[in-house]
Amino acid sequence: MTTPFDTPDWRGMSQGDRDLGLNNGVHVPASAELVAGWDRLSAEMRAKYPDHLDLRYGPRERNRIDFFKAAEKAPTLLFIHGGYWQTRAKESFALFAAGPMAHGINVALTGYTLAPDATLDEIVAEIHAAIDFLAERLPALGGDAGGIVVSGWSAGGHLTSMALSHPKVRAGMAISGIYDLEPIRHSYLNAKLGLDEAASSRNSPMTQAGGVIKPLSLVVGDAELPLLRKQTADFAGHRAKYGLPVTYEEIPGANHFTIMNELVSPTGRITTLIRQLFERTAGPSS
């Protein structure tokens, strides 16, 4: 739970270096090809499980949930996609339901309005609305109504941390997330996000005193950008400082995209951590 030794202080970086230090697409030249593969396999997954697609939880176009049923009365994982809150869509992430579903875990994938069409405050509120909707409808969908585990990748990791406070959330599994938004506010990414200091602070779990007393697993690839590795390591340290339940792991050899192999595989490390979160929180929702 220590900051990587090769991590510079973002405040001392030039604008260009800071932007590059947050640009996963440039850092992983094969990312476009990898994501194209995600799209193809996700389309196959959606075709395989067509019964509960695009369930509308709110009034906006992206306020939809895909629900993939693994078994009757099974627990449910809610997955939140990434894309720095301004790109990508739930439809590209359906393939990652395969790992948890192999262990009898239902998987729901939620969409949300992207910046600049929504502020970060509005995006966080949409995630909470999606959880409200899903929790209410789980019995009708055939799922266990005893609360859900939330997971997300990249920006979805941040939204996972922000969803932990929801009363129907049992635990969280955040993958390669952002937990202090100040580096984002001072980068090219803020052109669409439009964060000011106050919005950055209230949406940064790492700047809050304490946090939610629910289990949170944090993972990041050890081949990821140093600034992103630092985000996860620092947030793990923050939770440990306040005595909040947390686990922290770096996935050997994984970059920001290949880390997701650990979720698509039934034997992947992230899949295993999700199973453990369900086991640790079995019973009524906290």
Side-chain angles (χ1 to χ4, degrees), residues 35 42 48 63 67 87 93-94 97-98 143 176 181 230 233 245 251 255 257 266-267 285:
V35 172
S42 290
K48 185 177 179 181
N63 294 166
F67 182 79
T87 65
F93 291 81
S176 304
L181 294 172
K230 176 177 169 58
I251 304 297
N255 63 43
F257 297 88
T267 58
S285 173

Side-chain angles (χ1 to χ4, degrees), residues 81-284:
H81 73 81
Y84 274 137
W85 308 274
Q86 55 196 271
T87 65
R88 310 200 190 283
K90 66 176 173 59
E91 288 80 4
S92 297
F93 291 81
L95 78 156
F96 300 111
M101 289 182 75
H103 298 282
I105 298 169
N106 300 326
V107 178
L109 296 100
T110 188
Y112 52 90
T113 306
L114 302 178
D117 293 331
T119 66
L120 195 52
D121 290 306
E122 290 170 339
I123 292 170
V124 170
E126 287 187 355
I127 297 301
H128 279 254
I131 296 168
D132 287 339
F133 173 93
L134 183 62
E136 180 181 335
R137 282 159 180 78
L138 275 178
L141 291 167
D144 176 10
I148 64 178
V149 170
V150 175
S151 181
W153 167 76
S154 197
H158 164 265
L159 294 171
T160 293
S161 70
M162 299 298 287
L164 206 61
S165 62
H166 193 287
K168 293 297 184 181
V169 171
R170 293 158 52 167
M173 170 78 250
I175 307 162
S176 304
I178 303 290
Y179 312 103
D180 177 3
L181 294 172
E182 277 299 279
I184 302 297
R185 186 168 75 89
H186 291 276
S187 79
Y188 74 104
L189 295 163
N190 204 41
K192 289 187 176 181
L193 287 170
L195 293 169
D196 59 19
E197 186 174 0
S200 171
S201 178
R202 66 177 170 265
N203 287 292
S204 294
M206 204 148 62
T207 68
Q208 311 302 318
V212 181
I213 308 176
K214 296 177 184 177
L216 179 64
S217 291
L218 299 170
V219 297
V220 68
D222 76 356
E224 296 205 45
L225 286 163
L227 288 179
L228 296 185
R229 290 170 56 210
K230 176 177 169 58
Q231 286 271 347
T232 299
D234 285 356
F235 188 41
H238 171 88
R239 286 188 62 86
K241 171 185 174 182
Y242 287 99
L244 304 172
V246 64
T247 66
Y248 167 78
E249 293 187 25
E250 291 195 1
I251 304 297
N255 63 43
H256 193 66
F257 297 88
T258 60
I259 193 172
M260 292 297 284
N261 294 339
E262 301 298 319
L263 178 57
V264 74
S265 169
T267 58
R269 182 58 183 157
I270 296 175
T271 302
T272 298
L273 290 168
I274 287 170
R275 289 176 59 203
Q276 291 173 351
L277 286 171
F278 277 107
E279 291 165 1
R280 289 173 62 189
T281 60

